[in-house]
Amino acid sequence: MWHILGAGSLGMLWAARLARIGLPVQLMLRNEERLAAYRQVGGVTLVENGQTSRYPLPAQTLDNPAPIQRLLLACKAYDAEAAVAQIAPRLMAGAELILLQNGLGSQAAVAAQVPGVRCILASSTEGAYRDGDWRVVFAGHGHTWLGDPLALEPPPWLGELSRSGITHDWSLDIVGRLWRKLALNCAINPLTVLYDCRNGGLDEHPAEVATLCLELRELLHTCGQAAAAEGLHDEVLRVIHATAANYSSMHQDVAHGRRTEVAYLLGYACAAAQRHRCTLPHLEALHRRLLDHLHARGLPSQ
Ligand code: NAP
């Protein structure tokens, strides 16, 4: 059974793909109100390549007493710790948690709450968004890396992902991958918010991007992530050009007045730098500017 906590973009995307090859899936919703709203609609809808399919998946609230062996945690990083605290008593001995959260920080906070549970970390380049309640649009095919920093052995169910069309690899350095993605995010997303531009708009700020990449490289080296630092600036430029027409996820969050995951991205990077007494003036100034910007729009900085 795949228990999936959070029927948001990624949660529904995973649920629909697992269910359509006949795997048992159980959605886990926030509360009775959300469950009642879901039951009125009766299923999740996946829009892929212009085609719409509906999946009448079972759902329950977090406080349902049934035990859980495998849980995909598909909420935002800032919701992860509280969500896991709520379902922790339901996790069986030897249970597995798959953590889809972007950035760093939430995974360690979750793992500390559930000793004895195997936490598998994921980093995904897939793109999905909700165009209505219980509807997800699969906007960008991508790849998902999964890994366990504490055990190299892959779990036995990776074949289920292959059969579901969830393209993935087992990574022996998932923390390095998460750091690399975090660094790319720090070099691009905050600037797109501050300049209110698409990713391609950063072409007009090459010196700022280059300076941030230098500091991010220094941070990665300081944090023992030398491999994640390699060729960072080149990849940042490649991403900026390949996604020139897109608005970054952080830009979209701010534009829609939604809370961002800044605390697990640039916030995490700056906290790590401070912990290591590594002075990164441009990264810290960027963080301050971003927090001021969020504050001015009434958005949380955490
Ligand atoms: P999302 O669309 O906002 O979905 C999050 C879902 O979690 C929401 O449906 C929310 O419920 C639910 N949730 C939060 N707390 C809960 C709780 N205690 N119990 C039950 N449900 C709870 O977010 P997302 O875009 O799927 O992103 C999830 C994570 O994946 C993020 O860290 C994101 O950065 C990462 N990611 C996303 C994408 C993408 O394309 N979307 C790509 C790569 C990585 P409500 O609906 O009730 O608020």
Side-chain angles (χ1 to χ4, degrees):
M1 170 65 78
W2 283 85
H3 282 89
I4 299 187
L5 191 154
S9 311
L10 279 197
M12 287 192 282
L13 182 61
W14 277 63
R17 291 179 297 179
L18 292 165
R20 73 182 169 195
I21 63 153
L23 294 170
V25 169
Q26 178 69 248
L27 292 176
M28 299 174 65
L29 307 180
R30 200 184 272 284
N31 52 34
E32 290 295 341
E33 207 182 328
R34 292 294 283 155
L35 185 58
Y38 175 75
R39 287 196 171 140
Q40 276 217 319
V41 174
V44 304
T45 298
L46 170 64
V47 183
E48 185 179 9
N49 301 324
Q51 297 223 332
T52 298
S53 325
R54 201 154 165 280
Y55 301 89
L57 306 175
Q60 58 180 220
T61 54
L62 301 196
D63 49 15
N64 181 301
I68 297 171
Q69 169 59 41
R70 186 190 308 148
L71 175 76
L72 182 73
L73 190 68
C75 58
K76 289 279 174 63
Y78 47 73
D79 282 328
E81 208 178 335
V84 168
Q86 248 184 296
I87 50 93
R90 295 178 57 186
L91 294 171
M92 297 162 72
E96 292 165 310
L97 269 181
I98 299 116
L99 307 178
L100 285 185
Q101 287 62 47
N102 206 0
L104 280 162
S106 69
Q107 301 88 343
V110 163
Q113 278 184 309
V114 286
V117 166
R118 184 178 193 192
C119 288
I120 291 173
L121 282 45
S123 176
S124 180
T125 61
E126 293 194 315
Y129 63 88
R130 289 189 269 183
D131 73 342
D133 232 7
W134 321 114
R135 282 175 61 92
V136 60
V137 179
F138 193 3
H141 289 255
H143 198 85
T144 302
W145 283 268
L146 300 138
D148 177 351
L150 303 179
L152 302 182
E153 192 66 21
W157 40 259
L158 290 185
E160 295 187 1
L161 302 191
S162 306
R163 287 195 285 124
S164 306
I166 300 173
T167 54
H168 67 277
D169 272 303
W170 182 249
S171 168
L172 298 182
D173 181 21
I174 190 66
V175 174
R177 281 208 170 267
L178 285 161
W179 264 113
R180 175 70 163 207
K181 191 164 182 229
L182 179 147
L184 289 166
N185 184 297
C186 289
I188 298 173
N189 294 27
L191 287 179
T192 65
V193 171
L194 294 172
Y195 290 120
D196 189 15
C197 67
R198 294 173 199 266
N199 291 354
L202 298 188
D203 261 345
E204 287 170 34
H205 308 278
E208 212 167 345
V209 171
T211 310
L212 286 175
C213 287
L214 267 180
E215 290 194 355
L216 285 162
R217 279 176 54 85
E218 189 182 336
L219 175 65
L220 290 169
H221 279 281
T222 306
C223 293
Q225 298 294 334
E230 246 170 70
L232 179 67
H233 188 209
D234 286 346
E235 193 179 351
V236 165
L237 296 181
R238 259 201 314 279
V239 171
I240 287 174
H241 293 142
T243 62
N246 299 356
Y247 283 110
S248 72
S249 53
M250 193 178 269
H251 186 285
Q252 290 178 41
D253 283 340
V254 174
H256 289 99
R258 292 191 298 244
R259 181 175 177 181
T260 69
E261 295 184 298
V262 58
Y264 302 86
L265 295 159
L266 186 55
Y268 184 89
C270 288
Q274 267 185 11
R275 247 193 338 270
H276 289 282
R277 298 186 199 291
C278 173
T279 308
L280 302 173
H282 294 87
L283 206 66
E284 280 153 22
L286 180 70
H287 190 212
R288 276 195 304 277
R289 280 163 68 200
L290 182 63
L291 295 188
D292 287 347
H293 187 93
L294 296 177
H295 186 68
R297 277 150 194 80
L299 293 172
S301 50
Q302 285 303 308

